[in-house]
Amino acid sequence: MREGKEGTGTPRRMKAINDKTHFAPGRTLAASVQALLSGHDTHMPSTPSLSPVRSKNDGRQTLSLAEASFIPLSVRNEVKELNALPVAPSSDIVEAAVLMADISGFSRLSETLRNEFGDSKGNEMFASQVSKSFTALVGIVSKYGGEVVKFAGDCLICVFVNDEENEDEEDDDGHFHRSKQCARVLLDVIKGASDTLDLHGGLKVGNIQRLHLKELKRGSPRTKSARARLQTSSDGRMTLKQLEEQRARWYCIAGKPLKTAGALLDKAPAGEIHVFGGEIISRNTTPPKVDDTKAPRQSSLSLKLLDTGCPLVARTYLPPIVRARFRTSDVTVDSFQTEHRDVVTAFISLPGIFAKSSKAKGIDAGLLNDTYSALMGICRKHEGVLRDFLFEDKGCTMICCWGVVNTNEFDALRCVLFGLEAVAAMSTLNEKVKIGISMGKCLVLPIGNERRRDWTVMGTEVNMSARLCAKAPVRSALCSETVYEATKDHVNFDMSAPMKLKGRDGEHRALKALNKKSGIIRRKIDANIIIESALGMNDFSTLSAAAKRY
């Protein structure tokens, strides 16, 4: 099919809407083809936007508590103090007590509830139990002046720093004492939330690096889609300040204390939290001595923030998954809901970045920002959503998902293509990367309370993608057999050395993706190619014939 000049001919119109083409459920082939050719496809799925969540109350100067809860407390404090966005990329180093508290028993609880009450009711009860557990734990961490920086799956990554404004903090170890008190109480609280669940963890004091990141440009440098050109044109009409406030930001912490706390967590059995230096906190251990006349108190900065609110400009730190779900409406607690969806998950591990972050001087913020921005651009290009980017016990990890907002029959393919391009991009940056990809039913739900929330994805397939990532060779993407079956017509896999992974329901085969097959799903003209793939057509000319028949 010949490609015409801009603004003339059907092929060019098809190219202009390439990033959105799909066959909507319940729509006939005739309607799909006609909508494609006319350029007015009202069933196109919405994709995550870089722009902040729109608010019905444009005159409001502060975030609602529901919105602010998705942003780490330290970020809200910094934005409030500056009354502007922090410089990014940037970093600073502070001494802190890092507590990693991992909840165990979720998989067993989920299986028990589904077997007893069925999938639908069981998933509903499980989601309620998960929410109740995290809400209780977040409340205790806040009560002892700590901050939940990240929800790493079943694990809370908490940070305690000295509160200079609080006169009760008499010595430099005040944050350490509070973290141990908090750890002891968390062990009791988790059992109060559910008899089935338990908790173990690790605690280490040391210097951590606080990092602010931002995307350097809209989209991937390898794509020039109509949507990217339109966004670039829109950016050109903004002031520098407006443009800066529109770009998505990210906050994370790094440093050797996270690695050490993670190692302690791995050694700790259920019901114990191991402290660096040999101390063990358990339910049978007498809690650290405290002044009984003084009740545990929240951070003075936390109380101030709740009283006065967080400036609206901090919205740029909202997680992409929240932006995607609330693009045209306010973030309200009433709109939060739990969903059981088909999700494709990619775990990206960056072992080289993690090794650099564990050094005394920390990682270079510019280097980390280049890596983050490159991966985010590729994820956005392939219409994925960032779930998290963090330093944890497993290393430096990015988690991207497809299907958490809109489900598409090409989600698995888009995820694998993302993986292949991410490997190539990291090779260009001379960074090591390992990727695991899996797909299946997952719970998509908000967790936490009004002080700290996150929107998470939970399920056996999320765990499987993490395991695939751990097994993947460096600079490769390892896919589950389900992903292989969904994409084998479009992607070449290494069939010579399949790996075997043991799961809860038996042994699974894992295959390494090599490259995409020639002639299909090229993003430049993916409107044509997607129809070819969906209809089983082998020649572009048949597309015109199909359109004329309707």
Side-chain angles (χ1 to χ4, degrees):
M1 187 186 298
R2 186 173 58 86
E3 184 173 288
K5 295 183 178 179
E6 188 73 22
T8 63
T10 297
R12 204 54 164 174
R13 288 202 302 273
M14 295 172 65
K15 182 180 178 182
I17 59 170
N18 59 9
D19 291 296
K20 298 285 191 173
T21 307
H22 80 302
F23 286 86
R27 193 187 340 183
T28 65
L29 175 61
S32 296
V33 173
Q34 285 179 334
L36 173 69
L37 296 179
S38 66
H40 300 290
D41 189 352
T42 58
H43 291 78
M44 294 177 183
S46 55
T47 55
S49 171
L50 279 174
S51 59
V53 177
R54 298 175 190 171
S55 173
K56 294 177 181 178
N57 184 6
D58 293 331
R60 184 154 48 89
Q61 298 300 312
T62 60
L63 294 174
S64 67
L65 285 178
E67 287 175 310
S69 63
F70 287 100
I71 303 172
L73 177 63
S74 52
V75 175
R76 287 180 267 165
N77 286 331
E78 191 168 353
V79 173
K80 179 176 174 55
E81 290 176 2
L82 296 173
N83 198 28
L85 292 172
V87 175
S90 67
S91 70
D92 68 335
I93 295 178
V94 298
E95 184 180 84
V98 176
L99 170 63
M100 286 190 175
D102 185 71
I103 304 175
S104 58
F106 273 143
S107 297
R108 184 172 66 255
L109 176 61
S110 174
E111 185 176 342
T112 299
L113 291 175
R114 286 203 307 268
N115 289 340
E116 185 173 351
F117 299 99
D119 287 347
S120 179
K121 183 65 174 178
N123 285 328
E124 182 181 337
M125 295 177 68
F126 175 69
S128 175
Q129 191 65 67
V130 169
S131 179
K132 178 183 176 182
S133 302
F134 277 112
T135 296
L137 297 183
V138 170
I140 294 301
V141 174
S142 297
K143 189 174 182 180
Y144 281 88
E147 172 190 5
V148 178
V149 179
K150 294 290 181 181
F151 293 84
D154 303 339
C155 179
L156 297 180
I157 301 180
C158 312
V159 169
F160 298 78
V161 296
N162 264 335
D163 189 349
E164 297 177 357
E165 295 188 19
N166 197 298
E167 297 178 355
D168 293 338
E169 206 90 299
E170 297 176 354
D171 54 61
D172 294 337
D173 294 332
H175 56 304
F176 182 42
H177 294 317
R178 285 187 283 110
S179 66
K180 292 196 292 184
Q181 294 172 34
C182 178
R184 176 63 182 84
V185 176
L186 289 178
L187 292 172
D188 291 336
V189 168
I190 191 63
K191 281 299 182 182
S194 173
D195 291 335
T196 309
L197 303 178
D198 211 331
L199 186 140
H200 66 129
L203 176 60
K204 173 68 168 71
V205 176
N207 290 335
I208 63 168
Q209 195 175 8
R210 300 187 296 193
L211 295 139
H212 291 272
L213 309 175
K214 70 176 180 182
E215 288 188 72
L216 297 178
K217 59 175 66 178
R218 307 273 192 177
S220 166
R222 302 189 182 195
T223 182
K224 292 293 182 183
S225 67
R227 184 174 62 225
R229 293 196 302 272
L230 182 63
Q231 187 63 63
T232 301
S233 175
S234 174
D235 290 350
R237 296 190 294 270
M238 294 182 183
T239 65
L240 289 176
K241 181 179 179 181
Q242 289 172 330
L243 182 60
E244 186 70 14
E245 292 178 357
Q246 291 279 45
R247 289 183 175 174
R249 296 292 193 98
W250 195 258
Y251 173 80
C252 59
I253 60 172
K256 194 169 183 178
L258 281 86
K259 182 178 180 180
T260 305
L264 292 168
L265 181 151
D266 291 338
K267 295 178 181 179
E272 290 185 1
I273 295 177
H274 289 191
V275 183
F276 183 74
E279 183 178 355
I280 296 177
I281 300 174
S282 70
R283 296 184 182 90
N284 297 324
T285 302
T286 303
K289 292 182 180 180
V290 296
D291 187 347
D292 293 334
T293 64
K294 297 179 181 178
R297 82 307 172 256
Q298 298 161 356
S299 167
S300 59
L301 291 176
S302 175
L303 293 173
K304 279 186 178 181
L305 202 59
L306 288 175
D307 291 339
T308 60
C310 180
L312 201 62
V313 70
R315 269 187 179 164
T316 189
Y317 280 96
L318 281 175
I321 191 170
V322 176
R323 288 169 172 263
R325 298 185 71 89
F326 297 96
R327 289 206 313 145
T328 58
S329 62
D330 287 334
V331 180
T332 61
V333 177
D334 293 338
S335 59
F336 293 170
Q337 57 182 337
T338 299
E339 297 176 322
H340 199 220
R341 304 180 63 94
D342 289 311
V343 177
V344 187
T345 307
F347 260 71
I348 304 97
S349 175
L350 301 164
I353 293 287
F354 185 60
K356 294 171 186 175
S357 72
S358 299
K359 296 181 179 179
K361 64 180 181 180
I363 188 168
D364 179 75
L367 171 65
L368 183 62
N369 198 80
D370 288 345
T371 304
Y372 161 79
S373 187
L375 291 173
M376 276 295 296
I378 299 169
C379 177
R380 197 178 302 283
K381 169 185 172 181
H382 292 284
E383 302 188 12
V385 178
L386 175 68
R387 159 66 189 95
D388 212 341
F389 181 54
L390 72 162
F391 292 82
E392 54 169 344
D393 56 313
K394 300 179 181 66
C396 177
T397 305
M398 177 177 278
I399 308 170
C400 299
C401 298
W402 283 254
V404 294
V405 180
N406 295 294
T407 302
N408 188 287
E409 58 266 42
F410 300 108
D411 283 342
L413 181 57
R414 285 171 172 156
C415 184
V416 175
L417 294 180
F418 158 79
L420 292 172
E421 190 168 339
V423 169
M426 292 301 99
S427 296
T428 302
L429 293 174
N430 198 29
E431 289 294 344
K432 296 178 181 179
V433 63
K434 301 167 63 176
I435 300 177
I437 300 174
S438 187
M439 63 183 292
K441 289 290 185 181
C442 297
L443 281 175
V444 182
L445 72 161
I447 54 175
N449 61 20
E450 69 278 358
R451 298 189 181 279
R452 186 69 173 100
R453 285 190 181 91
D454 202 356
W455 214 289
T456 191
V457 181
M458 301 182 70
T460 55
E461 294 304 326
V462 177
N463 298 335
M464 176 59 74
S465 61
R467 295 177 60 207
L468 288 167
C469 179
K471 292 285 186 180
V474 174
R475 292 194 173 95
S476 67
L478 194 61
C479 304
S480 68
E481 188 156 10
T482 309
V483 173
Y484 163 74
E485 291 294 338
T487 61
K488 62 183 180 182
D489 293 336
H490 309 304
V491 177
N492 291 313
F493 288 85
D494 183 1
M495 307 299 295
S496 62
M499 297 185 184
K500 298 290 184 180
L501 275 80
K502 290 184 178 180
R504 295 179 64 85
D505 53 351
E507 196 172 56
H508 300 268
R509 184 172 63 158
L511 297 161
K512 185 171 73 173
L514 295 177
N515 49 54
K516 64 182 179 183
K517 294 184 178 179
S518 60
I520 61 98
I521 312 298
R522 292 199 305 268
R523 300 294 297 184
K524 267 290 198 187
I525 52 174
D526 75 339
N528 298 351
I529 302 300
I530 284 179
I531 286 189
E532 176 200 11
S533 175
L535 301 182
M537 298 178 179
N538 297 316
D539 192 283
F540 288 143
S541 62
T542 56
L543 176 60
S544 297
K548 290 177 182 178
R549 288 200 299 270
Y550 299 100

